[in-house]
Amino acid sequence: QKASDDQVQLAEDKEPVLRDRQLHIRGAEWASVDGHGDCRAFATCLRAALVDRYNVTTLTGSPVERLLMDPEGKQVQGVVLENGRIESSAAAVVLCAGAHGVHPLAKSVGLYLPVQPLRGYSLTVPLKDAARAPQQVLTVEPFHLYVARLGSMVRFTGFGEMVPVQSD
């Protein structure tokens, strides 16, 4: 079924790049809750805010050997680093070890954390012509391809696939 002229106009108003007739657009849907973001920028800003506002200590590039538990074994109080250094008296410990590193540490204190690795596919390229780049997140069906503008870049992403946790 062909979209009405009003539907086409609404889609083109929401996303001007759809006006390009060379794209051969056959239909469009508007989802007001769709969005996109830059994960690295988010994590970097979150870390800075936690350090500046809440006096949080972060350790990067510091492999954790084991977790330190309170005497009752109910709460993590700190960590022992691979180099032997002990970081303790923590009000909380956030484990950011990825799917491959989180399981052994959690298991060592009797926790199971359902973290599963995901392999994703994406391509991010500089914009050549900003006027032809999307303003919104676009979904290209039936290929499950997503197109999102990230400042002066455009990202094409496909699907993600669950992969098994592999031990060394």
Side-chain angles (χ1 to χ4, degrees), residues 66-83:
R66 65 184 173 91
L67 302 175
L68 295 174
M69 301 299 290
D70 68 4
E72 292 83 34
K74 294 184 178 181
Q75 185 172 342
V76 177
Q77 291 186 317
V79 296
V80 176
L81 302 179
E82 190 177 68
N83 65 8

Side-chain angles (χ1 to χ4, degrees), residues 14 23 30 41-42 63 86 88 103-104 113 117-118 120-121 135-136 139 156-157 159 167-168:
K14 294 284 187 190
L23 294 176
W30 169 250
F42 173 80
I86 297 174
S88 61
H103 291 288
L113 300 177
L118 179 73
Y121 302 90
Q135 302 300 313
Q136 311 293 326
T139 305
F156 301 87
T157 60
F159 56 90
S167 58
D168 293 335

Side-chain angles (χ1 to χ4, degrees), residues 28-85:
E29 292 180 26
W30 169 250
S32 62
V33 296
D34 275 357
H36 64 280
D38 182 328
C39 297
R40 182 180 180 93
F42 173 80
T44 300
C45 290
L46 176 60
R47 178 182 179 271
L50 291 171
V51 169
D52 293 344
R53 295 183 190 155
Y54 302 103
N55 198 30
V56 169
T57 300
T58 61
L59 302 172
T60 59
S62 304
V64 175
E65 186 70 31
R66 65 184 173 91
L67 302 175
L68 295 174
M69 301 299 290
D70 68 4
E72 292 83 34
K74 294 184 178 181
Q75 185 172 342
V76 177
Q77 291 186 317
V79 296
V80 176
L81 302 179
E82 190 177 68
N83 65 8
R85 191 171 115 207

Side-chain angles (χ1 to χ4, degrees), residues 122-139:
S122 69
L123 173 67
T124 305
V125 295
L127 290 173
K128 286 189 172 185
D129 182 355
R132 296 190 68 201
Q135 302 300 313
Q136 311 293 326
V137 176
L138 300 179
T139 305

